[in-house]
Amino acid sequence: MSFERELARAIELARIAGTEAMRMQRGELVVEMKPGDEPVTAADRRASELIVAGLAASFPDDPIISEELEPAPGALGAPRFWLVDPIDGTKDFIRGEDGYSVMIGLVCDGKPTVGVVYQPVLDRLFYGTPGGALMTYQGETTPLAVSQIAAAADVRLVASKSHRSPDIDRVKQQLGVANELNIGSVGVKLCVIAAGMRDLYVNPATRTKAWDTCAPEAILVPAGGRLSDLFGNPIDYTKELAHRRGLVASNGRVHDEVIAKLAPLFAHLA
């Protein structure tokens, strides 16, 4: 399957939701706190409403799971289902920065298959299907391909901007890495690896969810990259929403070396 219709609709809805979110970002922001001390705004909820309604109208048989809604019973693990993060990188959004994104992903038979990650402020769009991954930015569309970096010590690390923990310093020391860039959105972090701008992302935390990784994994993998937990296992989208064993995303070439060196640091999560 080419998934052309699914991709086109996801791109359209990401742009619509992103435009609305950016409009609200420039207005008066009302910030509330969700369980887990995570912020949420009216823009998160409005973007979610727009995307969920649009997907439901176009694909009425597909369950939709959004970060801002309670998932319908049986949605997780359905043959096809959508995962939506209406604003990934809410803290960047609240600060008026550009490091947030709108993310829409489709899981088919347990695998991320269609992915759209859109940065409204930059008007930068990443998208992918099993046929390939692309970026549209500043009027140009280019294929995405990961870097050629082959040794862990040479990687350019991308790490969290709002949730950076001392564990990242341990990771850098263990791998011998010096180069680090900090970005808010998980999705954008994986996409800059897909684009060859960065080489590695390590997240030892257990806070991320399926909607954080579905869309960007569908972009990273066809670009040549790889996503796993801290122990090299594929991400399972069929059983639970939480990623309880951390995340490692890479250009694929350094993945096995990184896992071998880092797994002992995080044995408590195994």
Side-chain angles (χ1 to χ4, degrees):
M1 293 180 63
S2 66
F3 298 100
E4 287 183 11
R5 180 168 171 259
E6 289 87 346
L7 178 62
R9 187 62 170 138
I11 288 173
E12 180 183 25
L13 290 169
R15 287 190 179 279
I16 291 169
T19 299
E20 179 69 359
M22 189 165 58
R23 183 190 68 78
M24 296 178 75
Q25 184 186 31
R26 294 167 179 167
E28 183 177 345
L29 283 178
V30 178
V31 181
E32 303 171 15
M33 300 307 291
K34 296 191 293 187
D37 201 31
E38 286 294 312
V40 63
T41 70
D44 290 84
R45 297 193 174 105
R46 176 60 179 151
S48 178
E49 289 169 0
L50 289 168
I51 296 167
V52 170
L55 290 175
S58 297
F59 308 102
D61 295 331
D62 294 348
I64 305 162
I65 299 174
S66 169
E67 181 177 9
E68 305 309 329
L69 297 172
E70 284 294 321
L76 189 68
R80 280 175 46 123
F81 64 97
W82 295 86
L83 283 162
V84 176
D85 193 341
I87 298 179
D88 181 42
T90 298
K91 290 184 179 179
D92 275 43
F93 177 82
I94 292 168
R95 289 192 294 258
E97 298 172 357
D98 61 19
Y100 68 93
S101 69
V102 178
M103 307 206 299
I104 304 174
L106 175 65
V107 176
C108 294
D109 298 324
K111 299 290 185 184
T113 306
V114 174
V116 172
V117 175
Y118 178 55
Q119 290 182 272
V121 177
L122 301 179
D123 192 23
R124 183 163 68 169
L125 180 73
F126 301 94
Y127 49 103
T129 67
L134 300 164
M135 176 179 69
T136 297
Y137 182 48
Q138 295 182 339
E140 294 187 6
T141 296
T142 54
L144 297 178
V146 296
S147 71
Q148 299 293 315
I149 297 295
D154 296 331
V155 301
R156 298 161 297 173
L157 184 71
V158 59
S160 175
K161 190 169 189 177
S162 300
H163 297 292
R164 192 188 186 284
S165 74
D167 280 335
I168 298 302
D169 294 319
R170 296 170 63 210
V171 166
K172 290 174 69 176
Q173 182 177 10
Q174 186 78 354
L175 298 179
V177 171
N179 190 315
E180 178 183 349
L181 173 70
N182 301 102
I183 294 174
S185 163
V186 173
V188 175
K189 287 193 272 281
L190 269 63
C191 286
V192 296
I193 296 174
M197 303 172 192
R198 293 274 119 184
D199 316 299
L200 179 68
Y201 165 60
V202 178
N203 184 349
T206 58
R207 300 165 66 120
T208 56
K209 301 290 198 301
W211 48 69
D212 292 308
T213 59
C214 174
E217 184 173 1
I219 298 164
L220 176 65
V221 170
R226 183 174 162 194
L227 178 67
S228 75
D229 67 18
L230 285 164
F231 308 96
N233 304 299
I235 303 302
D236 190 339
Y237 290 91
T238 65
K239 293 179 181 176
E240 63 175 345
L241 290 170
H243 300 326
R244 302 187 186 278
R245 291 155 57 95
L247 296 172
V248 176
S250 80
N251 66 357
R253 294 175 172 87
V254 300
H255 209 93
D256 289 339
E257 180 189 356
V258 167
I259 294 296
K261 290 183 174 177
L262 294 187
L265 289 181
F266 303 106
H268 61 285
L269 296 176

